[in-house]
Amino acid sequence: MSPAARLRGLKPDWLHDPKVWRTELLAGLVVALALIPEAISFSIIAGVDPVLGLFASFTMAVVISVVGGRRAMISAATGAVALVIAPLNREHGLGYLIAAVILAGVFQVALGALGVAKLMRFVPRSVMVGFVNSLAILIFMAQVPEMRNVPWAVYPLIIGGLALMVFFPKVTTVIPAPLVSIVILTVITLAAGIAVPTVGDKGALPSALPVPGLPDVPFTLDTLTTIAPYALAMALVGLMESLMTAKLVDDITDTRSNKTRESIGQGVANIVTGFFGGMGGCAMIGQTMINVKVSGARTRLSTFLAGAFLMVLCIVFGPVVSDIPMAALVAVMVMVTFATFDWHSLAPGTLRRMPAGEIAVMVVTVACVVTTHNLAVGVVVGSVTAMVIFARRVAHRATVTAVVDPDDGTAVYRVTGELFFASSNDLVGRFDYATDPDRIVIDLSAARIWDASSVAALDAIEAKYAQRGKTVELTGLDHASAHLHGRLSGELAGGH
């Protein structure tokens, strides 16, 4: 290979392929246009000025385009993060929120380095469905205050915005329907002079690029203990949503991504965002789908341009954005709610086919999230519930069948199933110690030993027979079970 060809191979596709460059450029522009209303909406959910959400979307997208592990994925201010940090801002103020964003980034870097991405394989699908449905419910609940005690004109504007977002995609999908809805509703309110709450009523938009700085909080242990729970929740929620989105993009593009790098990259992006005064964020499923599925983007350039275009649009067209009616943003978020919710999970046919345990896990996840307003709590409780249900189900599959051979005075017991702490507890009571002959064979060829509890149970069985002068022979152990049994047998307290 010539030096020129080798150098060409090291360059990103968009540097030497005009078609890819155009695709990435247009994708970045479309995503930036679609990000504006959502970033403002999520800022309002968090209870902060829209500028913080816009700054966060800018810095998150630009930084993650360089340090992230999944190409073409969009990270920005999100509803999930906004819901987590809103109580902190409400109770302690903006300085504590910014400090929590930075600390959350530190947590994400640490968790990424520790391999937390690998733990996602232990989150069941029923918990994932509950997570998504909970997020949709909380986003809708956050819109309710914007529909109370408002001028009557707000309601037809919301209905009109929803209608536009439903029917406009049937005409074209080149321009995001939420953006079209916001533009049309803004033109209507301005042209007709309709007096309704606007984005400008919530706070001023940025007129310049963000500048770095430290959060305005006392650097004390009390501050750390105040922000740490919120920061950890934000870190976990952000990583969960980002890793879920990365997996979705992997499936769509038939490519693999580095989940550990993505986890660390999310942390770095949040640290930078915090120092620039943003509200933090994570991967956005909706905007990523616009970038990857609708626009066909595949490289980091589209992610970078989405953030860059976003800030240009805000600085140049800030006065126009300030005139956007809040009704338009409420309509957008209501549509996001309906698009996010997994309606198939509630279909009668799905519920009839779904095991009762998985339905229970989904319900528990949703109930915990809606009650605590903390997505991380719901995912953790839902995952633990799923593990308990799974353990109980597998435990009942462990059986003991007795076959007594009167000719040679040997009792044969065949054990079938997975032996672990839940199933081995009842194992000791399955044998007839008093009436069995002097020799007992326990056939474990159809079983597997998983933990010390199972070894201790087998030791206890042997001890009970030994007290009666009888011998026990274990047969059929596979290599892993034999190794574990040989290492622990006789060494566990209470085994004999």
Side-chain angles (χ1 to χ4, degrees):
M1 181 183 294
S2 67
R6 189 180 299 110
L7 180 61
R8 179 186 176 90
L10 294 175
K11 292 181 180 180
D13 290 340
W14 56 269
L15 282 179
H16 54 76
D17 190 334
K19 183 178 179 181
V20 173
W21 190 88
R22 286 193 301 270
T23 299
E24 301 297 310
L25 177 66
L26 292 174
L29 179 58
V30 171
V31 170
L33 292 171
L35 273 175
I36 294 176
E38 293 205 8
I40 296 172
S41 299
F42 294 140
S43 300
I44 295 166
I45 291 175
V48 300
D49 286 342
V51 63
L52 271 72
L54 294 165
F55 279 169
S57 297
F58 163 62
T59 54
M60 288 292 297
V62 169
V63 174
I64 205 67
S65 69
V66 178
V67 300
R70 173 66 260 177
R71 293 182 297 172
M73 191 166 76
I74 304 297
S75 291
T78 60
V81 169
L83 290 165
V84 170
I85 61 177
L88 178 62
N89 178 62
R90 185 169 55 249
E91 297 171 12
H92 299 281
L94 180 59
Y96 283 81
L97 182 150
I98 299 300
V101 170
I102 297 172
L103 183 59
V106 174
F107 282 150
Q108 288 178 327
V109 171
L111 291 170
L114 292 173
V116 71
K118 297 178 182 178
L119 296 179
M120 288 300 293
R121 71 184 68 179
F122 297 107
V123 179
R125 182 185 178 279
S126 52
V127 174
M128 292 289 191
V129 173
F131 172 87
V132 171
N133 290 347
S134 302
L135 176 60
I137 292 171
L138 292 184
I139 291 176
F140 180 80
M141 291 172 62
Q143 308 311 307
V144 174
E146 300 295 335
M147 294 184 279
R148 291 176 178 168
N149 302 319
V150 294
W152 68 269
V154 168
Y155 302 109
L157 287 174
I158 293 175
I159 295 172
L162 291 172
L164 283 169
M165 286 182 283
V166 170
F167 294 109
F168 186 79
K170 301 180 184 301
V171 178
T172 179
T173 57
V174 174
I175 304 175
L179 182 66
V180 174
S181 175
I182 289 171
V183 170
I184 291 177
L185 294 186
T186 301
V187 170
I188 291 174
T189 55
L190 290 177
I194 302 174
V196 292
T198 65
V199 171
D201 297 332
K202 298 292 182 178
L205 297 181
S207 57
L209 291 172
V211 295
L214 295 175
D216 184 16
V217 295
F219 292 90
T220 63
L221 183 60
D222 287 341
T223 299
L224 180 62
T225 56
T226 298
I227 67 174
Y230 295 95
L232 182 60
M234 175 184 166
L236 293 174
V237 168
L239 286 180
M240 289 175 191
E241 190 158 335
S242 298
L243 294 173
M244 288 168 58
T245 306
K247 177 64 167 61
L248 183 61
V249 177
D250 289 352
D251 294 340
I252 292 173
T253 62
D254 289 328
T255 60
R256 297 183 63 183
S257 60
N258 188 330
K259 304 302 190 300
T260 297
R261 178 177 173 179
E262 183 60 40
S263 301
I264 296 174
Q266 288 290 329
V268 173
N270 272 306
I271 292 172
V272 173
T273 296
F275 281 119
F276 277 91
M279 59 174 275
C282 62
M284 298 186 73
I285 296 178
Q287 306 307 320
T288 298
M289 291 303 98
I290 292 175
N291 196 47
V292 175
K293 202 168 185 179
V294 177
S295 303
R298 292 294 183 270
T299 77
R300 299 178 184 273
L301 179 63
S302 58
T303 305
F304 175 85
L305 290 177
F309 284 147
L310 171 65
M311 196 49 46
V312 170
L313 290 169
C314 288
I315 294 173
V316 176
F317 300 102
V320 176
V321 176
S322 296
D323 289 330
I324 295 174
M326 284 301 303
L329 299 181
V330 171
V332 170
M333 298 315 300
V334 171
M335 182 58 68
V336 169
T337 296
F338 279 95
T340 301
F341 198 92
D342 186 352
W343 297 102
H344 178 71
S345 65
L346 297 183
T350 302
L351 295 176
R352 282 196 301 269
R353 296 182 181 90
M354 190 75 67
E358 296 199 23
I359 296 175
V361 169
M362 183 177 66
V363 171
V364 166
T365 303
V366 172
C368 287
V369 172
V370 173
T371 301
T372 65
H373 283 226
N374 190 320
L375 291 160
V377 170
V379 171
V380 171
V381 174
S383 297
V384 171
T385 303
M387 292 177 186
V388 171
I389 292 175
F390 173 77
R392 286 177 58 85
R393 185 184 304 164
V394 175
H396 290 304
R397 293 182 179 276
T399 60
V400 178
T401 305
V403 180
V404 179
D405 186 351
D407 296 333
D408 60 6
T410 300
V412 178
Y413 288 90
R414 181 176 177 82
V415 181
T416 303
E418 309 300 320
L419 301 182
F420 62 110
F421 62 89
S423 60
S424 61
N425 286 333
D426 298 331
L427 194 63
V428 178
R430 304 284 186 87
F431 296 82
D432 192 352
Y433 303 99
T435 61
D436 276 344
D438 293 339
R439 183 172 179 270
I440 295 88
V441 175
I442 301 178
D443 181 7
L444 295 164
S445 58
R448 180 183 289 268
I449 299 174
W450 287 104
D451 60 7
S453 297
S454 303
V455 176
L458 292 173
D459 284 353
I461 294 169
E462 292 188 66
K464 287 182 177 294
Y465 277 118
Q467 290 172 359
R468 295 168 173 79
K470 301 175 183 180
T471 60
V472 176
E473 178 185 358
L474 303 180
T475 63
L477 288 170
D478 62 25
H479 177 74
S481 298
H483 176 73
L484 181 62
H485 183 268
R487 184 157 53 92
L488 297 180
S489 182
E491 302 296 330
L492 301 171
H496 290 283

